PDB file of all heavy atoms in Angstrom:
ATOM      1  N   GLN A  95      -1.164  10.704 -10.132  1.00  0.00           N
ATOM      2  CA  GLN A  95      -1.034   9.393  -9.510  1.00  0.00           C
ATOM      3  C   GLN A  95      -2.400   8.955  -9.125  1.00  0.00           C
ATOM      4  O   GLN A  95      -3.390   9.666  -9.329  1.00  0.00           O
ATOM      5  CB  GLN A  95      -0.115   9.363  -8.333  1.00  0.00           C
ATOM      6  CG  GLN A  95       1.348   9.613  -8.813  1.00  0.00           C
ATOM      7  CD  GLN A  95       1.822   8.736  -9.896  1.00  0.00           C
ATOM      8  OE1 GLN A  95       1.713   7.584  -9.862  1.00  0.00           O
ATOM      9  NE2 GLN A  95       2.533   9.434 -10.867  1.00  0.00           N
ATOM     10  N   THR A  96      -2.540   7.864  -8.393  1.00  0.00           N
ATOM     11  CA  THR A  96      -3.952   7.409  -7.928  1.00  0.00           C
ATOM     12  C   THR A  96      -3.866   6.943  -6.502  1.00  0.00           C
ATOM     13  O   THR A  96      -2.904   6.442  -6.100  1.00  0.00           O
ATOM     14  CB  THR A  96      -4.432   6.257  -8.888  1.00  0.00           C
ATOM     15  OG1 THR A  96      -3.352   5.177  -8.771  1.00  0.00           O
ATOM     16  CG2 THR A  96      -4.746   6.630 -10.229  1.00  0.00           C
ATOM     17  N   GLU A 120       5.967   0.131   3.106  1.00  0.00           N
ATOM     18  CA  GLU A 120       5.132   0.238   1.844  1.00  0.00           C
ATOM     19  C   GLU A 120       5.882   1.169   0.904  1.00  0.00           C
ATOM     20  O   GLU A 120       6.447   2.198   1.227  1.00  0.00           O
ATOM     21  CB  GLU A 120       3.810   0.866   2.145  1.00  0.00           C
ATOM     22  CG  GLU A 120       2.841   0.742   0.870  1.00  0.00           C
ATOM     23  CD  GLU A 120       1.856   1.846   0.689  1.00  0.00           C
ATOM     24  OE1 GLU A 120       1.780   2.898   1.301  1.00  0.00           O
ATOM     25  OE2 GLU A 120       0.962   1.593  -0.114  1.00  0.00           O
ATOM     26  N   GLY A 122       5.535   3.365  -2.517  1.00  0.00           N
ATOM     27  CA  GLY A 122       4.498   3.835  -3.303  1.00  0.00           C
ATOM     28  C   GLY A 122       3.369   4.452  -2.339  1.00  0.00           C
ATOM     29  O   GLY A 122       2.172   3.944  -2.464  1.00  0.00           O
ATOM     30  N   ALA A 123       3.772   5.384  -1.429  1.00  0.00           N
ATOM     31  CA  ALA A 123       2.693   5.759  -0.429  1.00  0.00           C
ATOM     32  C   ALA A 123       1.631   6.617  -1.032  1.00  0.00           C
ATOM     33  O   ALA A 123       0.582   6.602  -0.486  1.00  0.00           O
ATOM     34  CB  ALA A 123       3.459   6.742   0.575  1.00  0.00           C
ATOM     35  N   GLY A 124       1.819   7.333  -2.164  1.00  0.00           N
ATOM     36  CA  GLY A 124       0.685   7.984  -2.742  1.00  0.00           C
ATOM     37  C   GLY A 124       0.066   8.982  -1.711  1.00  0.00           C
ATOM     38  O   GLY A 124       0.601   9.803  -1.147  1.00  0.00           O
ATOM     39  N   SER A 125      -1.164   8.851  -1.563  1.00  0.00           N
ATOM     40  CA  SER A 125      -2.087   9.679  -0.703  1.00  0.00           C
ATOM     41  C   SER A 125      -1.693   9.427   0.774  1.00  0.00           C
ATOM     42  O   SER A 125      -2.051  10.175   1.647  1.00  0.00           O
ATOM     43  CB  SER A 125      -3.512   9.367  -0.906  1.00  0.00           C
ATOM     44  OG  SER A 125      -3.826   8.080  -0.422  1.00  0.00           O
ATOM     45  N   ALA A 128      -3.112   3.677   2.332  1.00  0.00           N
ATOM     46  CA  ALA A 128      -2.754   2.242   2.652  1.00  0.00           C
ATOM     47  C   ALA A 128      -1.842   2.307   3.795  1.00  0.00           C
ATOM     48  O   ALA A 128      -1.900   1.488   4.589  1.00  0.00           O
ATOM     49  CB  ALA A 128      -2.081   1.688   1.423  1.00  0.00           C
ATOM     50  N   GLU A 143       7.636   7.281  -1.010  1.00  0.00           N
ATOM     51  CA  GLU A 143       6.920   7.924  -2.181  1.00  0.00           C
ATOM     52  C   GLU A 143       7.890   8.835  -2.857  1.00  0.00           C
ATOM     53  O   GLU A 143       8.721   9.599  -2.342  1.00  0.00           O
ATOM     54  CB  GLU A 143       5.724   8.825  -1.654  1.00  0.00           C
ATOM     55  CG  GLU A 143       5.077   9.668  -2.740  1.00  0.00           C
ATOM     56  CD  GLU A 143       4.641   8.897  -3.920  1.00  0.00           C
ATOM     57  OE1 GLU A 143       4.031   7.744  -3.765  1.00  0.00           O
ATOM     58  OE2 GLU A 143       5.157   9.240  -5.080  1.00  0.00           O
ATOM     59  N   ARG A 144       8.132   8.453  -4.242  1.00  0.00           N
ATOM     60  CA  ARG A 144       9.039   9.236  -5.103  1.00  0.00           C
ATOM     61  C   ARG A 144       8.747  10.639  -5.291  1.00  0.00           C
ATOM     62  O   ARG A 144       9.538  11.370  -5.607  1.00  0.00           O
ATOM     63  CB  ARG A 144       9.319   8.439  -6.313  1.00  0.00           C
ATOM     64  CG  ARG A 144       8.186   8.486  -7.317  1.00  0.00           C
ATOM     65  CD  ARG A 144       8.672   7.668  -8.605  1.00  0.00           C
ATOM     66  NE  ARG A 144       9.585   8.434  -9.513  1.00  0.00           N
ATOM     67  CZ  ARG A 144       9.063   9.186 -10.478  1.00  0.00           C
ATOM     68  NH1 ARG A 144       7.816   9.289 -10.749  1.00  0.00           N
ATOM     69  NH2 ARG A 144      10.039   9.825 -11.202  1.00  0.00           N
ATOM     70  N   HIS A 145       7.327  11.055  -5.226  1.00  0.00           N
ATOM     71  CA  HIS A 145       7.139  12.435  -5.487  1.00  0.00           C
ATOM     72  C   HIS A 145       7.126  13.145  -4.119  1.00  0.00           C
ATOM     73  O   HIS A 145       6.220  12.957  -3.308  1.00  0.00           O
ATOM     74  CB  HIS A 145       5.632  12.588  -6.037  1.00  0.00           C
ATOM     75  CG  HIS A 145       5.694  12.257  -7.507  1.00  0.00           C
ATOM     76  ND1 HIS A 145       6.162  13.013  -8.484  1.00  0.00           N
ATOM     77  CD2 HIS A 145       5.076  11.140  -8.133  1.00  0.00           C
ATOM     78  CE1 HIS A 145       5.975  12.363  -9.714  1.00  0.00           C
ATOM     79  NE2 HIS A 145       5.194  11.351  -9.424  1.00  0.00           N
ATOM     80  N   ASP A 170      13.290   6.965  -3.618  1.00  0.00           N
ATOM     81  CA  ASP A 170      13.100   5.820  -4.442  1.00  0.00           C
ATOM     82  C   ASP A 170      13.044   4.496  -3.676  1.00  0.00           C
ATOM     83  O   ASP A 170      13.892   3.864  -3.238  1.00  0.00           O
ATOM     84  CB  ASP A 170      14.245   5.667  -5.400  1.00  0.00           C
ATOM     85  CG  ASP A 170      14.217   4.525  -6.377  1.00  0.00           C
ATOM     86  OD1 ASP A 170      13.162   3.841  -6.310  1.00  0.00           O
ATOM     87  OD2 ASP A 170      15.208   4.190  -7.056  1.00  0.00           O
ATOM     88  N   GLY A 171      11.689   4.104  -3.640  1.00  0.00           N
ATOM     89  CA  GLY A 171      11.395   2.871  -2.858  1.00  0.00           C
ATOM     90  C   GLY A 171      11.957   1.606  -3.520  1.00  0.00           C
ATOM     91  O   GLY A 171      11.906   0.493  -2.861  1.00  0.00           O
ATOM     92  N   ALA A 187       3.022  -0.655  -4.210  1.00  0.00           N
ATOM     93  CA  ALA A 187       1.731  -0.264  -4.735  1.00  0.00           C
ATOM     94  C   ALA A 187       1.900   0.329  -6.141  1.00  0.00           C
ATOM     95  O   ALA A 187       1.204   1.096  -6.511  1.00  0.00           O
ATOM     96  CB  ALA A 187       1.124   0.723  -3.807  1.00  0.00           C
ATOM     97  N   VAL A 241      -0.134   1.768 -11.647  1.00  0.00           N
ATOM     98  CA  VAL A 241       0.867   2.728 -12.219  1.00  0.00           C
ATOM     99  C   VAL A 241       2.293   2.290 -12.221  1.00  0.00           C
ATOM    100  O   VAL A 241       2.546   1.473 -11.244  1.00  0.00           O
ATOM    101  CB  VAL A 241       0.791   4.208 -11.544  1.00  0.00           C
ATOM    102  CG1 VAL A 241      -0.585   4.833 -11.761  1.00  0.00           C
ATOM    103  CG2 VAL A 241       1.216   4.133 -10.136  1.00  0.00           C
ATOM    104  N   PRO A 242       3.196   2.666 -13.096  1.00  0.00           N
ATOM    105  CA  PRO A 242       4.632   1.980 -13.028  1.00  0.00           C
ATOM    106  C   PRO A 242       5.358   2.422 -11.726  1.00  0.00           C
ATOM    107  O   PRO A 242       5.354   3.544 -11.282  1.00  0.00           O
ATOM    108  CB  PRO A 242       5.275   2.595 -14.259  1.00  0.00           C
ATOM    109  CG  PRO A 242       4.389   3.652 -14.783  1.00  0.00           C
ATOM    110  CD  PRO A 242       3.066   3.594 -14.143  1.00  0.00           C
ATOM    111  N   LEU A 243       6.281   1.514 -11.376  1.00  0.00           N
ATOM    112  CA  LEU A 243       7.262   1.666 -10.262  1.00  0.00           C
ATOM    113  C   LEU A 243       8.376   2.191 -10.952  1.00  0.00           C
ATOM    114  O   LEU A 243       9.005   1.609 -11.801  1.00  0.00           O
ATOM    115  CB  LEU A 243       7.532   0.289  -9.733  1.00  0.00           C
ATOM    116  CG  LEU A 243       8.553   0.389  -8.409  1.00  0.00           C
ATOM    117  CD1 LEU A 243       7.927   1.044  -7.309  1.00  0.00           C
ATOM    118  CD2 LEU A 243       9.107  -1.088  -8.173  1.00  0.00           C
ATOM    119  N   ILE A 244       8.776   3.507 -10.659  1.00  0.00           N
ATOM    120  CA  ILE A 244       9.874   4.254 -11.414  1.00  0.00           C
ATOM    121  C   ILE A 244      11.056   4.280 -10.400  1.00  0.00           C
ATOM    122  O   ILE A 244      10.970   4.936  -9.469  1.00  0.00           O
ATOM    123  CB  ILE A 244       9.338   5.476 -11.971  1.00  0.00           C
ATOM    124  CG1 ILE A 244       8.330   5.304 -12.988  1.00  0.00           C
ATOM    125  CG2 ILE A 244      10.515   6.381 -12.579  1.00  0.00           C
ATOM    126  CD1 ILE A 244       7.614   6.552 -13.333  1.00  0.00           C
TER     127      ILE A 244
HETATM  128  N1  SAM B 430      -0.750   3.287  -1.689  1.00  0.00           N
HETATM  129  C1  SAM B 430      -1.127   4.583  -2.350  1.00  0.00           C
HETATM  130  C2  SAM B 430      -2.331   5.071  -1.596  1.00  0.00           C
HETATM  131  O1  SAM B 430      -2.846   4.373  -0.767  1.00  0.00           O
HETATM  132  O2  SAM B 430      -2.790   6.187  -2.034  1.00  0.00           O
HETATM  133  C3  SAM B 430      -1.546   4.475  -3.738  1.00  0.00           C
HETATM  134  C4  SAM B 430      -0.172   4.428  -4.600  1.00  0.00           C
HETATM  135  S1  SAM B 430      -0.262   4.811  -6.205  1.00  0.00           S
HETATM  136  C5  SAM B 430      -1.095   3.455  -6.908  1.00  0.00           C
HETATM  137  C6  SAM B 430       1.486   4.368  -6.655  1.00  0.00           C
HETATM  138  C7  SAM B 430       2.480   5.422  -6.172  1.00  0.00           C
HETATM  139  O3  SAM B 430       3.677   4.728  -6.314  1.00  0.00           O
HETATM  140  C8  SAM B 430       2.394   6.735  -6.932  1.00  0.00           C
HETATM  141  O4  SAM B 430       2.245   7.695  -5.868  1.00  0.00           O
HETATM  142  C9  SAM B 430       3.817   6.869  -7.459  1.00  0.00           C
HETATM  143  O5  SAM B 430       4.429   8.219  -7.363  1.00  0.00           O
HETATM  144  C10 SAM B 430       4.594   5.791  -6.554  1.00  0.00           C
HETATM  145  N2  SAM B 430       5.911   5.385  -6.922  1.00  0.00           N
HETATM  146  C11 SAM B 430       6.199   4.922  -8.220  1.00  0.00           C
HETATM  147  N3  SAM B 430       7.503   4.567  -8.157  1.00  0.00           N
HETATM  148  C12 SAM B 430       8.012   4.596  -6.920  1.00  0.00           C
HETATM  149  C13 SAM B 430       9.216   4.388  -6.338  1.00  0.00           C
HETATM  150  N4  SAM B 430      10.228   3.903  -7.074  1.00  0.00           N
HETATM  151  N5  SAM B 430       9.389   4.738  -5.036  1.00  0.00           N
HETATM  152  C14 SAM B 430       8.417   5.266  -4.371  1.00  0.00           C
HETATM  153  N6  SAM B 430       7.145   5.533  -4.867  1.00  0.00           N
HETATM  154  C15 SAM B 430       7.044   5.165  -6.191  1.00  0.00           C
END
Side-chain angles (χ1 to χ4, degrees):
Q95 302 301 317
T96 53
E120 191 205 13
S125 69
E143 171 52 51
R144 72 182 279 269
H145 286 289
D170 175 9
V241 296
L243 181 74
I244 295 171

